[in-house]
Amino acid sequence: NGGFKGLQHDDAASKPGREVPGILLSPPLDHNDWSCLRLVYQITGSGSLEVLQRFNGKSIDRPLWSSQTPSDSWVISSMDLQNHTESSMVVLEGRPGPSAGSSVAIFEIDITPGYCLECDFEGSHLCGYSNQWNANVNWFVGGGGQLLHNDIPNDHTYNNRTGHLMYVDSVYAKSFKEVAKLVSPLTTVPMSGCLSFNYQRSEEGGNLFSVFTRDRLGQYQELWRPENHSEPEREWTLVQVDMKAPYSIQVCGFFEAAFNSPRSGRIALDDISFSPEFCSKDTEPTFDPSIANCDFESGLCRYTQSQLTWRKVSVKPNIFRIGDHTTGAGSFLLTHSRLGLQPGYVSRLISPTLPGNMKYCLRFHFSLRGFNQTTQALTVYLQNQQSGGLERIWTQGEKSRGIWIAADVTFHTSQPAEVAFVSSCRSFWDCGFVALDDISVSLGDCELVSGPLSSPPGHCDFEVGLCGYTQDKQSDAVDWERRRGPTPTSYTGPRGDHSKGLGYYLYLEASDLLPGENARLKSRPFRGTQGPQCLSFFYHMYGSGTGHLSVHVDKGGEDVLLWQRSGEQCVAWLRAQVEYQCESQHQIVFEAVRGSSVRSDIAIDDILLESGPCPEHANSTQKVPGSIMVINYRL
């Protein structure tokens, strides 16, 4: 607390139309153990506030939290800082909106040891816990030497009247069932372990007490309730319950009272804590769903099939065949191609077993071609391991036009089960081929697995804009265009984006340009570092008149070439990986140049810039002038 350094600041009200950021940088922080960052802030009018974590030697800051929600009062937000072997700094970046009177203000920054869920209610702001207001029953702070009710117990932390606790009383309840809710701060990282708390219930009875989790979609799951609601707990009672949260959640304390009289008792709560170790040694560890992930580059992973109907293929893509989704020139699974077709045959691909009583997010990419009917082209079933029963959880409802399309499926299974990919082929005339690639399984709802934060700096799939990338209007002839679906000119450009198949990408439209005219896209500025950086992206260069695509590093006006391709490459999306090193502030530039004809559309998608060497090329670098290190991509 304290020691934050302001790097720059501005006032949107004094400079209307400008969005100049204000940046605060913390002193170096050690992260041998978990800690909690609490922030008291306010956004007036319009603007944004973002909290990032900066590690030494890395040019990309890791996003922790962000908000664009205006408020008429101060707001508390909490962020968990995970333990780490390296020290880091916390960066707070505020951007007031362009309208007059907009501002971003910070009142307090507090970093304390422990998890954000933990609280003894002795400090200010109640550790970010909040009461959801009810007209009749609410959670209040008790203790602190103020005797509000004679029957309020000593707190649990100090066992006296000066310590603090939270309590709710039915004295003002008017209806038959009133509910008071005490809500924890939202966790910002996946957490699994033992949640502990102490509570008391008065002798009057007529009240219920339960603990729930709630995710960002508003879905609730009960964690705990007393085995016997009718028996009071006159002394502080310790409760320990296992919690498994694959993504951000809130822990909610619910006081539910069914009243038989105007006074139906009181509930007190104190000393909430969390441990990454489960409460019971018998508790099964959190299941690792990555055992069901497969990109088919090295076989079927842990997937099985009763008969060899799904074939692993590895073809160099051309205008007659699609490449794989992973790299454009890798491997994927194919079934029911008309070479060796067996009419009436059913192809099944079975995943490894997934434990029961859990919610999963299944993601995969598929492609269909040549089908006259699609209702049975590809269907995904949940197969009960014990009974063998099948439950359909997804089916293809539209033709995929021979492109890779992303599918997200959220499902819940009460019993251990397997995921089955099933394709049926009735006759030669009804059948084409079905391709599968890049299957992944995660815990939780697909809408939540990706997390609440925006994409990190340097990453963009162009689904919601340019992600901080900007058009270089001073050095090019035209802007990159954001588009979904095929490009207007036949026999050039992609038929869909790389990310989802039905999403967005950026491309150079050649029809309105002269040969040699260009478009340039620039990233936001990145800090220089002594270590390597890995830039990966997908590009599409198909057309008889295709020109050039290159990637540069711009160091204050000095352009250094990192990577370049010229001429027609492929009908499929191809992956490029570029490893470089730059010790000064710089920007990444993507430049497309129109070729000799209108069939020169060039597209890019799924840009990702990460600190550290590229995984597949860590030991194969070469130097080029300008303190830049570069390696050529591999397909």
Side-chain angles (χ1 to χ4, degrees):
N1 305 325
F4 277 77
K5 179 175 62 175
L7 299 185
Q8 57 181 318
H9 60 86
D10 207 337
D11 184 355
S14 63
K15 296 180 176 64
R18 293 184 60 189
E19 297 183 31
V20 181
I23 298 177
L24 280 176
L25 186 63
S26 78
L29 305 173
D30 292 326
H31 297 288
N32 294 326
D33 298 308
W34 281 60
S35 57
C36 178
L37 167 64
R38 292 191 179 93
L39 181 67
V40 183
Y41 72 96
Q42 183 178 8
I43 298 175
T44 303
S46 62
S48 65
L49 179 60
E50 188 173 16
V51 180
L52 307 104
Q53 193 171 22
R54 177 174 298 176
F55 289 95
N56 185 34
K58 295 185 178 180
S59 63
I60 310 297
D61 296 333
R62 184 171 71 92
L64 295 175
W65 171 91
S66 64
S67 177
Q68 296 180 345
T69 305
S71 172
D72 294 331
S73 60
W74 294 103
V75 180
I76 303 173
S77 185
S78 303
M79 288 140 267
D80 284 296
L81 304 178
Q82 295 177 269
N83 57 343
H84 204 279
T85 56
E86 302 177 32
S87 65
S88 69
M89 293 181 286
V90 172
V91 183
L92 291 90
E93 182 173 314
R95 292 180 178 269
S99 59
S102 295
S103 65
V104 179
I106 298 174
F107 179 75
E108 183 176 329
I109 303 170
D110 184 53
I111 302 177
T112 57
Y115 299 84
C116 290
L117 286 177
E118 298 181 325
C119 194
D120 58 11
F121 303 107
E122 301 299 331
S124 60
H125 313 310
L126 303 180
C127 315
Y129 280 76
S130 61
N131 168 71
Q132 289 193 1
W133 178 254
N134 182 306
N136 300 317
V137 291
N138 291 278
W139 288 89
F140 295 99
V141 181
Q146 298 181 359
L147 191 62
L148 301 181
H149 296 281
N150 291 330
D151 59 349
I152 290 182
N154 292 341
D155 83 314
H156 179 267
T157 310
Y158 300 111
N159 193 27
N160 58 34
R161 296 276 175 163
T162 60
H164 293 83
L165 53 88
M166 298 298 294
Y167 77 96
V168 59
D169 200 299
S170 63
V171 62
Y172 298 114
K174 295 182 179 179
S175 65
F176 180 73
K177 192 171 185 179
E178 300 275 8
V179 177
K181 301 179 182 180
L182 181 69
V183 182
S184 78
L186 183 71
T187 63
T188 54
V189 292
M191 295 177 62
S192 296
C194 182
L195 177 69
S196 303
F197 59 91
N198 292 270
Y199 82 105
Q200 282 193 31
R201 295 170 62 231
S202 62
E203 300 182 14
E204 288 86 346
N207 55 58
L208 302 175
F209 183 43
S210 302
V211 178
F212 293 79
T213 60
R214 180 177 64 189
D215 60 35
R216 290 183 294 109
L217 296 179
Q219 299 172 345
Y220 293 87
Q221 180 179 357
E222 186 176 66
L223 277 183
W224 172 89
R225 67 169 53 197
E227 295 181 0
N228 190 343
H229 266 298
S230 61
E231 293 294 328
E233 282 79 18
R234 300 177 179 85
E235 304 295 333
W236 285 109
T237 301
L238 174 65
V239 173
Q240 293 184 316
V241 57
D242 288 328
M243 182 179 73
K244 297 180 181 181
Y247 39 67
S248 302
I249 61 164
Q250 290 175 315
V251 177
C252 308
F254 287 86
F255 168 67
E256 300 180 356
F259 303 113
N260 298 320
S261 65
R263 294 186 60 85
S264 293
R266 165 195 38 78
I267 293 176
L269 176 68
D270 202 3
D271 290 344
I272 302 171
S273 61
F274 178 81
S275 169
E277 302 294 332
F278 287 112
C279 310
S280 171
K281 294 182 179 179
D282 297 331
T283 301
E284 294 185 5
T286 303
F287 171 67
D288 181 7
S290 65
I291 66 168
N293 294 356
C294 195
D295 60 8
F296 305 108
E297 298 303 315
S298 303
L300 298 186
C301 306
R302 300 192 183 191
Y303 285 78
T304 59
Q305 52 180 336
S306 55
Q307 295 177 325
L308 301 179
T309 53
W310 290 92
R311 294 180 297 135
K312 177 176 175 285
V313 297
S314 182
V315 294
K316 184 175 182 180
N318 52 53
I319 61 174
F320 302 106
R321 303 172 181 175
I322 63 170
D324 79 318
H325 179 264
T326 313
T327 65
S331 300
F332 60 95
L333 288 193
L334 184 70
T335 190
H336 292 328
S337 67
R338 289 178 176 173
L339 298 177
L341 175 69
Q342 301 182 44
Y345 208 75
V346 178
S347 299
R348 291 186 176 90
L349 182 70
I350 309 299
S351 76
T353 301
L354 306 177
N357 197 30
M358 300 183 75
K359 182 181 288 187
Y360 296 94
C361 171
L362 168 68
R363 286 176 168 160
F364 59 95
H365 284 80
F366 69 96
S367 180
L368 308 180
R369 180 176 292 177
F371 278 88
N372 292 325
Q373 55 82 27
T374 59
T375 56
Q376 296 179 351
L378 182 61
T379 305
V380 181
Y381 293 93
L382 200 59
Q383 180 172 296
N384 189 296
Q385 191 182 37
Q386 297 177 349
S387 66
L390 295 177
E391 175 190 354
R392 186 172 66 181
I393 59 176
W394 180 89
T395 188
Q396 167 62 6
E398 62 175 303
K399 295 182 179 179
S400 74
R401 302 178 300 223
I403 61 175
W404 288 109
I405 294 181
D408 288 358
V409 186
T410 298
F411 64 92
H412 182 275
T413 173
S414 57
Q415 300 294 329
E418 299 157 330
V419 174
F421 295 86
V422 179
S423 178
S424 300
C425 186
R426 296 183 301 182
S427 70
F428 179 89
W429 304 109
D430 287 331
C431 224
F433 72 67
V434 182
L436 272 179
D437 202 5
D438 293 344
I439 302 173
S440 67
V441 178
S442 306
L443 296 177
D445 196 297
C446 289
E447 292 188 53
L448 296 170
V449 168
S450 59
L453 298 174
S454 59
S455 298
H459 173 264
C460 195
D461 59 9
F462 304 110
E463 295 303 312
V464 291
L466 300 186
C467 322
Y469 285 83
T470 56
Q471 308 279 1
D472 186 1
K473 298 182 180 297
Q474 297 180 351
S475 305
D476 62 11
V478 69
D479 289 344
W480 288 83
E481 296 186 26
R482 182 170 169 263
R483 186 177 179 86
R484 66 190 306 179
T487 59
T489 309
S490 301
Y491 303 106
T492 187
R495 287 177 288 178
D497 76 314
H498 175 265
S499 310
K500 300 180 179 180
L502 304 176
Y504 290 89
Y505 58 91
L506 285 194
Y507 86 108
L508 172 73
E509 174 53 57
S511 301
D512 301 328
L513 299 180
L514 296 175
E517 291 189 312
N518 66 338
R520 285 168 60 93
L521 185 74
K522 301 184 73 172
S523 72
R524 68 178 70 182
F526 297 112
R527 298 186 314 278
T529 62
Q530 295 183 352
Q533 311 292 312
C534 182
L535 171 68
S536 65
F537 60 94
F538 282 82
Y539 66 98
H540 196 282
M541 300 177 69
Y542 166 60
S544 58
T546 302
H548 312 282
L549 175 65
S550 57
V551 179
H552 306 256
V553 161
D554 183 347
K555 303 194 303 173
E558 176 191 356
D559 254 14
V560 179
L561 178 65
L562 291 181
W563 176 95
Q564 181 172 295
R565 284 292 177 268
S566 300
E568 184 180 63
Q569 300 294 308
C570 183
V571 72
W573 286 99
L574 301 177
R575 185 178 68 182
Q577 286 187 322
V578 183
E579 185 177 303
Y580 75 94
Q581 182 172 321
C582 185
E583 298 180 1
S584 59
Q585 181 171 291
H586 60 280
Q587 293 174 277
I588 301 294
V589 182
F590 291 85
E591 182 176 24
V593 180
R594 198 257 205 194
S596 59
S597 76
V598 295
R599 293 177 182 173
S600 182
D601 295 343
I602 298 174
I604 57 174
D605 200 6
D606 289 346
I607 302 171
L608 178 62
L609 179 60
E610 297 180 295
S611 297
C614 294
E616 299 179 10
H617 312 293
N619 298 316
S620 56
T621 63
Q622 65 182 50
K623 292 185 178 182
V624 298
S627 299
I628 304 293
M629 298 179 68
V630 61
I631 60 170
N632 290 329
Y633 75 105
R634 285 194 312 191
L635 291 178

